[in-house]
Amino acid sequence: MFNRKMTGPTRLEEYSEKYKDLFLMTRRGGILEVRMHTDGGPLQFDWPVQAAYGHVWSDIGRDPENEVMILTGTGELWQTGNPEVWNTKFMDWPNRRKLEMYHESLRMIENMVQCIDIPTIGAVNGTGAHWQLGTLCDITICAEDTAFFDAHYLGGVPPGDGIVLALQRILGTKKAAYYAYTGMNITAQEALDLGLVSEVLPREQLIPRAWELAELIMQAPRSVRHLTHSIVAHPWKQALAENQGLQLTHQLVDMAIDEEGIHERLMKLKERFQRNDN
């Protein structure tokens, strides 16, 4: 006999507890705020975090009590990278783990777009890795000192994790190529002028404004909210279906034949930036 409990709605009380070490969740009046963190500070990205993203989007999307989602970070950074994840060269990973990496990388952003059927607001609280998650949201606002950039190419890796896809979709082919090759910062004001974000605010006003926008969205009937989200998110579904698998595969192929290893190049890149700062 069919057991509805196996496929039915998920409950905030359950999945918020499951992900509490990575995502702190607050819901009020149907508005779910998801705040990324590590030990109460900015989220530090690693492979377990990448795997968790795909799962958390699925659980949030299967909870009918969620009506609008706000995604944000903690403190002054969106999230931080961890070069130590590259201590073992990707070419030396077991083949099974390489395949898992491919699927987890896709689900990290695909499940956000495909599994969540409600309006979304990205409140980008500062500079950091994987900022494309904030721009995949229906509305994106950011703190005034935020900088957007992609350092993959400067670190010796093809940019296939979704950042360049976001740049291509929002900024256009030529501007995306420029920022991919140069790794140049896009300031918050430039991001506003280019259409990467919708509003720029002082950090202390960011979350109150996100809630204000969410409450404005909640004034429309449920069907209007859901179907409007479907319309505005459709271009992302198209872009992911057409391009993300190809771009990610290019990145992973290069990593699989890379004998030097990403970690060494990232350390050199970090040293270079430190010298420039001094």
Side-chain angles (χ1 to χ4, degrees), residues 7 61 65 70 73 102 155 157 162 167 175 192 197 215 232 251 277-278:
T7 59
E65 300 302 315
I70 298 170
Y102 170 78
V157 185
L167 292 174
K175 286 188 175 68
L192 181 63
V197 302
E215 289 165 354
V232 300
Q251 177 175 323
D277 290 341
N278 294 330

Side-chain angles (χ1 to χ4, degrees), residues 106-143:
L106 282 179
R107 291 172 186 145
M108 176 179 170
I109 58 176
E110 282 190 348
N111 282 7
M112 182 178 181
V113 173
Q114 300 289 355
C115 295
I116 297 180
D117 298 321
I118 57 175
T120 54
I121 299 170
V124 183
N125 58 299
T127 305
H130 296 291
W131 52 260
Q132 75 271 30
L133 295 172
T135 59
L136 288 173
C137 293
D138 299 345
I139 296 174
T140 305
I141 61 179
C142 76

Side-chain angles (χ1 to χ4, degrees), residues 222-236:
R222 181 182 175 93
S223 62
V224 175
R225 296 194 303 268
H226 281 236
L227 297 178
T228 299
H229 168 77
S230 180
I231 291 171
V232 300
H234 186 67
W236 286 120

